[in-house]
Amino acid sequence: MTRDEVIAKWDWMNRQERNIWVAIKVMGKKKSPINYGWISSEGYDYYPKNYSTDMGAAWEVIRKMKSKGLSFTLGEASEKSGSVILGEANLGEQMCNFHIVAKNIFIHVFRETMPEAICLAALIAVLTQGEE
């Protein structure tokens, strides 16, 4: 997938679908073959964590990405931010940047909330760079 395709799919999904997508593609879980909207891990089915809305769950995404060798930065778009000046981000939006060190690639995302920025950046890193 391309970056734009990942973002378009994310924007189309509801919160539960986003959490399932993160659980499967980033966290390595599997969709439940029996229970719709659940994930399966170690023989148990359960609802995925609220990765896209809960900061505690989003930190688990960061830890997973770090275990894959990626570094990260978190921040907020400010008036002096080049991203705001260039129209890439709105003032006050939350930013997550993952750095794929081995390829010297930076993947940044601006979103309204930090958990959403983290999850979307992680998906882009995994789905567009073969970091799965």
Side-chain angles (χ1 to χ4, degrees), residues 1-3 6-7 21 25-26 61 64-66 68-72 96-101 103 105-109 117-132:
M1 293 181 89
T2 67
R3 175 188 175 86
V6 174
I7 293 170
W21 200 23
K25 295 299 181 181
V26 177
V61 172
K64 183 70 166 185
M65 297 303 285
K66 284 178 66 176
K68 295 177 181 223
L70 282 73
S71 62
F72 75 98
C96 178
N97 177 59
F98 283 112
H99 180 204
I100 303 172
V101 180
K103 298 180 182 180
I105 296 172
F106 292 89
I107 297 166
H108 63 280
V109 170
I118 291 166
C119 290
L120 186 52
L123 282 166
I124 292 169
V126 168
L127 297 172
T128 66
Q129 302 302 322
E131 292 299 313
E132 204 165 10

